[in-house]
Amino acid sequence: MSGFRAFFAIAILVLAGACSVPGPGQAPDGIWDPNETANRKVHAFNTRIDEKLLRGTGGGYADKVPEDVQMVVTNVADAVSLPATVVNQLLQGRLVDASRNTLRFTINATLGFGGMFDPATEAGLPKDESDFGATLAAWGVPEGGYLVLPIVGPSTERDAVGRVVDLFTNPLDRVLTVPQRRTKTAFVLLDKVGSRGQYAATVDGVLYDSADSYAQLRLIYLQNRRFELGEEAPAADVIDPTEIDTTGF
Amino acid sequence: MDWTRRSLLTTGAALLIAGPALALTEAQASGMVGNLVNEINRVIASGKSERAMYGDFERIFKKYADTRAIAAYAMGVDGRRATNAQKKAFTDAFTGYISRKYGKRFREFIGGRLEVQGVSRNRNFYDVSTIAYLKGEAPFEVNFHVSDNNKFYNMYIEGVNMLLTERTEIGAMLDRRRGDIDALIADLRSAS
């Protein structure tokens, strides 16, 4: 346990300095992207991988796998990530959310036959997720620059650190055997492929139909993530209708 | 909407206090979004073909959205060098393009529905919040910003702002065409 704590402490110390903060005027429209050239290369790489493996229906997954089976995959993937959500919500001081998700996990793990079904949603406890990136945000660590990670995709300096920590902090991993853990990971990955297929039109639209898919994805990711974290949107995001000049349109 | 005497009285009082500056009431703004959401839900549930749905979405979009404001914002500073004829043609082409683009996304709502949650007044607009319920997904927020003409001019899907997204896209399209507005208009008409 002390090794675990030391790891935590070091990780946080490292990232407190690692997340860069834009100077005045360096983040127009709330976008801070100091590594744009490198990011664009990774984005191009990711898009090529997506095109080969997932474009359209997520490699056929959304078409070929029956919907009920996809639903089970989604439910299991959600159930196995709930303990990590609870830990993070505790770390964020969100005690009500943490106990709600503990109950959600208990219900779905038992009445939901090991997480295959989701009776908790019907009982008024809908899906709710959190991660260590969100915890860092709650602790006041700055977002840092925009970052595109290989395979994983859009992120920020803060979220990238969060992802690394998330790899080691799911409490469920402590009680699962190695094969069980692999199965867990397989379900989580399959669920991601499923989502790719479910939102094929939107994702394909952004990746393949945009004039600048990099700029689109960056804008969409940052806005959505800030919204998820309840962070204040940059002033540019709130548009006053009386300031739009519609003359001639 | 539950029109109790009290809510009528408060609305009336609010109108009196706010005076002519507030031409639109909260009830009207959320009522408009309510109608919009009902029409979208009906199309989603109709089971029509994709192409037929786009036509429906374009009709709905023209009826409820402030297409001129959306087009003007999307064009951004490039609008300053556009002629009035170009602006008009752009609004028209852009309206079709956006209906197809968002129509495609709403198609992914099949089996789901939108519900109006509430409305809040901001300085120069109303923010009407709705929740999207989709199969297998955590419910998420879709917000409509409504200006005084009781049409929506911006939409946020889980925090993603349509106006900013479209301005980025139109800007990139113009860059690719070396700033040629006529080429942009022609391509918007055929873009899916």
Side-chain angles (χ1 to χ4, degrees):
Chain A
M1 206 54 195
S2 72
F4 179 63
R5 262 184 232 151
F7 169 76
F8 240 69
I10 291 166
I12 289 152
L13 277 178
V14 168
L15 81 268
C19 292
S20 60
V21 178
Q26 280 187 310
D29 294 336
I31 287 169
W32 168 234
D33 190 359
N35 307 307
E36 180 164 346
T37 315
N39 279 341
R40 278 191 183 269
K41 280 187 191 139
V42 181
H43 172 76
F45 169 77
N46 287 348
T47 310
R48 275 200 303 279
I49 303 271
D50 179 87
E51 186 156 28
K52 286 218 172 73
L53 299 179
L54 298 172
R55 185 172 183 177
T57 56
Y61 178 87
D63 273 355
K64 288 174 195 141
V65 180
E67 250 179 65
D68 293 347
V69 178
Q70 291 190 38
M71 205 63 182
V72 168
V73 170
T74 301
N75 290 338
V76 172
D78 174 53
V80 296
S81 67
L82 270 169
T85 290
V86 170
V87 168
N88 278 297
Q89 288 175 333
L90 284 174
L91 291 171
Q92 292 157 28
R94 291 161 61 192
L95 302 184
V96 175
D97 290 331
S99 33
R100 193 179 291 145
N101 282 313
T102 307
L103 187 58
R104 180 175 158 77
F105 178 75
T106 313
I107 291 174
N108 284 355
T110 53
L111 298 175
F113 296 96
M116 281 165 53
F117 303 97
D118 181 13
T121 291
E122 263 111 276
L125 293 166
K127 201 188 246 188
D128 178 27
E129 289 163 319
S130 196
D131 51 61
F132 197 68
T135 300
L136 292 172
W139 289 353
V141 174
E143 177 180 89
Y146 178 67
L147 207 58
V148 184
L149 302 173
I151 313 289
V152 174
S155 190
T156 59
E157 287 168 359
R158 182 178 64 201
D159 283 333
V161 175
R163 277 184 168 276
V164 174
V165 176
D166 280 329
L167 287 179
F168 301 100
T169 52
N170 189 340
L172 205 56
D173 289 344
R174 285 155 192 279
V175 294
L176 295 182
T177 61
V178 173
Q180 282 172 331
R181 249 183 278 166
R182 287 204 186 114
T183 314
K184 185 199 86 172
T185 310
F187 270 99
V188 171
L189 288 178
L190 260 187
D191 180 46
K192 293 215 188 301
V193 174
S195 307
R196 173 69 181 84
Q198 192 183 351
Y199 299 109
T202 302
V203 182
D204 284 353
V206 171
L207 286 184
Y208 303 106
D209 298 337
S210 308
D212 183 351
S213 63
Y214 176 81
Q216 279 291 304
L217 200 55
R218 179 177 62 187
L219 181 67
I220 291 171
Y221 174 79
L222 288 176
Q223 289 189 92
N224 181 246
R225 183 63 173 158
R226 286 167 187 163
F227 174 78
E228 207 171 68
L229 299 180
E231 299 195 307
E232 205 169 313
D237 279 14
V238 180
I239 295 149
D240 183 337
T242 61
E243 279 166 20
I244 304 174
D245 180 9
T246 55
T247 325
F249 281 93
Chain B
M1 177 90 2
D2 187 16
W3 282 113
T4 61
R5 193 156 66 165
R6 199 165 122 217
S7 79
L8 276 175
L9 283 174
T10 15
T11 315
L15 272 175
L16 283 178
I17 295 162
L22 243 169
L24 185 68
T25 66
E26 285 194 359
Q28 285 171 319
S30 75
M32 183 277 286
V33 174
N35 293 339
L36 162 67
V37 158
N38 285 339
E39 290 207 35
I40 293 174
N41 286 342
R42 221 173 295 142
V43 176
I44 295 172
S46 71
K48 286 186 185 175
S49 75
E50 203 162 315
R51 198 147 289 283
M53 276 192 191
Y54 294 160
D56 286 344
F57 282 127
E58 180 157 5
R59 188 182 47 74
I60 294 171
F61 190 66
K62 279 184 175 154
K63 183 167 160 193
Y64 292 99
D66 189 344
T67 51
R68 289 176 60 219
I70 297 170
Y73 187 89
M75 206 177 209
V77 287
D78 289 293
R80 285 186 208 149
R81 59 184 176 85
T83 65
N84 279 356
Q86 281 177 322
K87 285 179 182 175
K88 278 246 164 334
F90 175 75
T91 304
D92 184 55
F94 181 75
T95 303
Y97 154 82
I98 210 100
S99 313
R100 291 190 297 274
K101 184 166 170 179
Y102 283 82
K104 246 188 218 171
R105 299 188 184 178
F106 278 122
R107 242 180 61 80
E108 290 166 1
F109 284 26
I110 287 175
R113 67 187 194 286
L114 285 163
E115 270 176 21
V116 175
Q117 297 297 304
V119 54
S120 64
R121 173 83 196 174
N122 273 302
R123 211 160 56 86
N124 284 316
F125 61 90
Y126 285 108
D127 180 354
V128 182
S129 61
T130 71
I131 302 257
Y133 294 91
L134 263 65
K135 275 191 299 183
E137 280 303 307
F140 60 86
E141 267 183 71
V142 179
N143 289 53
F144 293 90
H145 285 190
V146 180
S147 52
D148 257 350
N149 59 12
N150 206 15
K151 291 192 163 195
F152 79 88
Y153 67 95
N154 201 1
M155 179 170 78
Y156 291 70
I157 302 179
E158 279 190 285
V160 179
N161 174 333
M162 175 183 72
L163 283 184
L164 270 187
T165 313
E166 290 313 318
R167 178 181 274 189
T168 304
E169 177 62 8
I170 295 298
M173 286 181 86
L174 266 173
D175 284 348
R176 276 198 162 186
R177 290 159 185 79
R178 297 169 191 274
D180 185 341
I181 293 173
D182 291 324
L184 169 76
I185 294 167
D187 290 344
L188 278 180
R189 291 197 195 280
S190 58
S192 59

